[in-house]
Amino acid sequence: MPIKLHSYWRSSASYRVRMALNLKGLDYTIEPVHLVRDGGQQHSEAYRALNPQGLVPTLEIDGQVISQSMAMLEYLEEQHPTPALLPADAPGRARVRAIANAIACDIHPLNNLRVLKYLVGELGVDEDAKLAWYRHWTELGLGQVEAMLDDPATGRFCHGDEPGLADCCLLPQVYNAQRFKCKLDAMPRILAICEALEQIPAIRRAAPENQPDAE
Amino acid sequence: MPIKLHSYWRSSASYRVRMALNLKGLDYTIEPVHLVRDGGQQHSEAYRALNPQGLVPTLEIDGQVISQSMAMLEYLEEQHPTPALLPADAPGRARVRAIANAIACDIHPLNNLRVLKYLVGELGVDEDAKLAWYRHWTELGLGQVEAMLDDPATGRFCHGDEPGLADCCLLPQVYNAQRFKCKLDAMPRILAICEALEQIPAIRRAAPENQPDAE
């Protein structure tokens, strides 16, 4: 059974998993799920049968269906350990997971499409206040990540000189931050890491604009 | 060096880690961090030197300082594997991590104290709309978790008949949901699991009301 990733080109959680699959050299097909068209294809009955949360991505692999991008990254690391996305030492793994979760838990969920829609729809927030919300949580959160990267363990990438699980979370978040014109100039470590990541062909292939469903 | 957990009694991320430490029978001391007093003690310079994000909890263990509750749970599982909080099989681990992250990424971050403060302060949202926001994300998210639990792998607890990592996320979230009077009657699986969890003395000891800083 080939690996299948249900993905939306601009979804940063999907982008994380595409990066990991590509870094590990795994073949997979993309099954596009359009988050806006048809009122959001992720809400369809067929998709929710696969993913009861109705969120992208979903990974079909080894006869199972996995939801939640962080669970997918851990699964890929366990089943396809080379190249490793987590360090060999436990303190290093804790550090990488902490950086990854500072993004996956403390930045991304606040700036999801569904949250921005609620702000505008239910709370009647105007466009400027919506953008200010987006930028507030992203700039605050990435500023905290920048502080976490002020550590001798940081190398060319978030942890040492090979791309890993934290980088799989960082680059998609920065991609989104730039789309929303967040101020990142005070974050030289993050910017240098993202520049280094974008030089890796496997990572470039995971970028939103290189997806079959890119618009 | 004894294990030290920087914790706030009502913080659900702290509660997760207290559950895991207690289930694994580890001795530790609680270092209270008051999230409201003194403008929020988590913002102090001394605390931020430990935790650059200025968030609770922080775990000091084996000579290191770990931030992010999910990174702590994984670290504890790696270093103190018995009793296990993750299943022995890879598909089971993916399922447990997916349920845990459905809570840690998709419910909790939206209902943090700092987010509720922003809604009221910066967006001028009134008390009713703030509560509606809280209940919306919590009821939606827990409803999705209930759907994920509609699976033969669910047992007395989220996965099988022993408490695990997903349970460490579920009970604190339900505790918070009940504080905010969310409607949970349509979630029989979640309610039954929480009732079973609360019968375990190690878990009861982790509850907010049993903390040294409880008010």
Side-chain angles (χ1 to χ4, degrees), chain A residues 163-186:
Chain A
L165 199 139
D167 301 293
C168 289
C169 294
L170 181 62
L171 184 63
Q173 195 62 59
V174 169
Y175 163 84
N176 266 326
Q178 287 170 333
R179 248 183 87 204
F180 281 84
K181 305 200 193 317
C182 295
K183 279 205 197 79
L184 306 181
D185 3 321

Side-chain angles (χ1 to χ4, degrees), chain B residues 130-209:
Chain B
K130 183 187 92 172
L131 284 175
W133 162 282
Y134 187 100
R135 290 174 188 146
H136 173 77
W137 298 115
T138 301
E139 291 170 8
L140 176 70
L142 286 177
Q144 292 168 346
V145 170
E146 180 77 12
M148 293 168 91
L149 292 170
D150 182 8
D151 184 306
T154 303
R156 188 166 157 77
F157 301 109
C158 287
H159 192 83
D161 294 324
E162 299 296 334
L165 199 139
D167 301 293
C168 289
C169 295
L170 181 63
L171 184 63
Q173 195 63 59
V174 169
Y175 163 83
N176 267 326
Q178 287 171 332
R179 247 183 87 204
F180 281 83
K181 305 200 192 321
C182 295
K183 279 205 197 78
L184 307 180
D185 3 321
M187 306 180 195
R189 291 178 196 90
I190 287 177
L191 293 174
I193 289 169
C194 287
E195 204 181 310
L197 288 168
E198 283 176 331
Q199 286 167 33
I200 298 172
I203 290 178
R204 274 206 307 275
R205 283 202 311 277
E209 62 272 21

Side-chain angles (χ1 to χ4, degrees), chain A residues 52-111:
Chain A
Q53 285 196 277
L55 296 174
V56 290
T58 302
L59 182 66
E60 293 192 69
I61 187 168
D62 304 332
Q64 315 147 51
V65 181
I66 306 179
S67 60
Q68 287 291 333
S69 63
M70 302 309 287
M72 295 172 205
L73 298 183
E74 294 279 354
Y75 181 89
L76 291 173
E77 182 68 359
E78 288 181 355
Q79 299 300 304
H80 301 277
T82 313
L85 298 181
L86 285 171
D89 62 306
R93 285 193 296 277
R95 178 174 181 265
V96 168
R97 287 185 175 121
I99 297 170
N101 280 295
I103 298 166
C105 296
D106 293 328
I107 304 176
H108 175 68
L110 291 161
N111 292 329

Side-chain angles (χ1 to χ4, degrees), chain A residues 52 115 161:
Chain A
V115 173
D161 294 324

